[in-house]
Amino acid sequence: MSKITEFRVARDDLARTEVATRDVTLADGEILCRVDRFALTANNITYAAHGVDMKYWDFFPAPDGWGIVPVWGFADVVASQCAGVAVGTRLYGYWPMADHAVLAPVKVTAGGLVDGAPHRAGLAAVYNGYQIVRGDVGDASVGDERAYALFRPLFLTSFLLSDVYGDAPETFVLSSASSKTALGMAQGLLAKGRTVVGLTSARNRAFVAATGLYASVCVYDELPTVARAPSIYVDFAGDRVLRRAVHTHFGDALRQSIVVGDTHVGVADADGALPGVRPEFFFAPTHLATRMRDHAPGGFNERYAAGWTAFIAATAPWLRFVEAAGDAAVTTHYAAMVAGHVDPVEGLILRL
C-alpha cells in the first residue's frame, strides 16, 4: 500500500483548496509514478473552469464536491505491476496535482504508453498518452524539461490556432496578450505576416510590448481607440464583459470571435445576445485531429517542430523560471494564478 497526497480544488469555488492524503494499492497491470515537476499556467485554470462541461475533472477523480486540476510535467515510475514498464522509467504527460499518480499502461512502446484506466476510456485521447523520456542529459526530444513542461501543451493550442486561422487577412485581436498561449499564437501569426493587436492590463503592457510579437498593444480600458478594421477576436481570458465590449466596438467589422480560455474566474456574463458574430469555442483536440488529416503524412509534425523551435528561441530574452516544492508553495502559487497575480515573465515549475 502507498500513500498519495493530492491538491484538491472546490468545484464550486476554484479559490478554495485542500491538501489531502489517501491510500492506494497497485492492481495487476498498474504503475505508481512520483510526479517530479509540473508546470502551472493559466491553461490549468481553464481546465478547472471547464472541469464539468469539458470533463477535465474526470481524468483524476476526487471526492464529491472536489476536483483535481490536471497539469503537464514529468514523473518517474517508482513501483510497477506492469511487465512492460520498468521502475525508473521517466514519463512526460498529463498528471494530477499530486505527489504520485497511478496509471494502467497499455500500448507500451519504446517511445511511450497510453493510460488504459477504464474511467479514461471515453475522454479525449490526446490527454491519455505519455512520452517515455530517455535518462541521458540533454534529451533532444525534450530539451530543457522546464520549458517543455511549461510550453509544450500550451504551444500545441497556440500552433493550432495560428495554423487554422493564420491565413485569414483580417487583423487579429488577442485578449490576455501576456499569456503564454497568446504569445505562442502571436509568434505564429507574425511569422505568417499577419497583423496582431494585443489587449492586456496596464500592469502587463510594458512586458507585452517588449516581446515584439504585437503590432500594437492596448490596455483593456483603451479598447475604443483600436481601429475598427476587419478583425478576428481571440479570447484567451473568458472575460464575458470584455467579450461584449469587443463585439460592441467592432460591430460588423468583427468577422470571427474565438473563445480559447476561461481564466478570468468569477467575471459575470452580460445579459442578452452579443452583437455581431456568434462566439465559437476552440477545442484543441478536435482541431488537432483535423489538421493531422489535412496535412500530408508527417507534414503537421514537421511544421509543428519548426514552430516550436522558433517560439522557444523567442522566449529566451524574457522567460524566468520559478521553481518551488511543497504543499504551502503549491497552494500559494495556485492562489496567485487563480487571482491573476502571476508575473508573465515567470514560468512556474512546481512539485508537491
Side-chain angles (χ1 to χ4, degrees):
M1 181 178 293
S2 302
K3 292 186 180 296
I4 292 181
T5 299
E6 299 171 333
F7 184 88
R8 299 172 181 169
V9 174
R11 294 190 179 198
D12 61 353
D13 179 4
L14 300 186
R16 183 163 61 92
T17 65
E18 70 170 16
V19 177
T21 300
R22 63 182 177 89
D23 296 326
V24 296
T25 300
L26 288 187
D28 185 45
E30 293 183 334
I31 59 175
L32 180 67
C33 304
R34 178 178 61 83
V35 182
D36 179 50
R37 50 171 42 160
F38 61 85
L40 183 67
T41 71
N43 188 49
N44 303 112
I45 308 306
T46 296
Y47 290 158
H50 287 282
V52 175
D53 61 311
M54 304 300 292
K55 299 186 182 302
Y56 288 118
W57 293 138
D58 296 355
F59 284 92
F60 306 109
D64 287 347
W66 295 96
I68 298 176
V69 178
V71 289
W72 293 88
F74 293 84
D76 298 304
V77 178
V78 294
S80 176
Q81 295 295 325
C82 177
V85 183
V87 170
T89 301
R90 191 163 179 81
L91 300 171
Y92 166 79
Y94 202 58
W95 305 103
M97 287 183 70
D99 64 348
H100 290 80
V102 175
L103 304 182
V106 297
K107 301 180 181 179
V108 180
T109 69
L113 56 86
V114 172
D115 185 8
H119 73 275
R120 292 177 71 162
L123 303 176
V126 68
Y127 298 116
N128 291 339
Y130 291 80
Q131 177 182 345
I132 293 177
V133 181
R134 299 198 313 270
D136 54 311
V137 176
D139 182 351
S141 67
V142 172
D144 187 330
E145 285 190 352
R146 299 171 302 174
Y148 203 87
L150 186 67
F151 290 119
R152 195 67 174 186
L154 302 175
F155 186 72
L156 178 58
T157 299
S158 302
F159 181 80
L160 284 167
L161 283 162
S162 60
D163 194 51
V164 171
Y165 300 105
D167 292 333
E170 290 86 359
T171 295
F172 287 81
V173 180
L174 277 54
S175 71
S176 289
S178 66
S179 73
K180 296 170 179 62
T181 313
L183 291 169
M185 183 184 186
Q187 191 270 339
L189 292 172
L190 183 64
K192 289 190 170 189
R194 303 277 79 84
T195 298
V196 190
V197 175
L199 302 181
T200 190
S201 65
R203 182 185 62 182
N204 292 333
R205 182 176 194 165
F207 164 77
V208 173
T211 66
L213 298 175
Y214 297 91
S216 60
V217 180
C218 176
V219 173
Y220 293 123
D221 290 345
E222 299 172 354
L223 176 61
T225 67
V226 177
R228 293 183 66 257
S231 300
I232 295 174
Y233 177 52
V234 186
D235 181 1
F236 290 97
D239 184 332
R240 282 112 171 127
V241 173
L242 174 62
R243 192 182 306 160
R244 172 168 289 278
V246 168
H247 277 245
T248 301
H249 172 67
F250 284 97
D252 292 341
L254 190 65
R255 303 300 164 79
Q256 285 183 279
S257 179
I258 303 159
V259 180
V260 181
D262 276 339
T263 59
H264 286 194
V265 176
V267 177
D269 198 355
D271 293 333
L274 290 172
V277 295
R278 181 182 179 88
E280 56 187 90
F281 188 80
F282 185 89
F283 187 55
T286 300
H287 286 281
L288 174 61
T290 300
R291 298 310 271 181
M292 292 287 282
R293 292 193 301 268
D294 288 346
H295 294 296
F300 178 86
N301 291 337
E302 291 175 4
R303 292 158 61 96
Y304 179 68
W308 168 258
T309 300
F311 176 66
I312 291 301
T315 67
W318 56 263
L319 177 62
R320 175 167 58 87
F321 289 107
V322 175
E323 300 182 67
D327 302 353
V330 170
T331 299
T332 297
H333 286 297
Y334 172 83
M337 186 65 71
V338 170
H341 294 162
V342 176
D343 191 321
V345 305
E346 295 182 350
L348 300 181
I349 306 296
L350 307 177
R351 180 176 67 249
L352 278 173

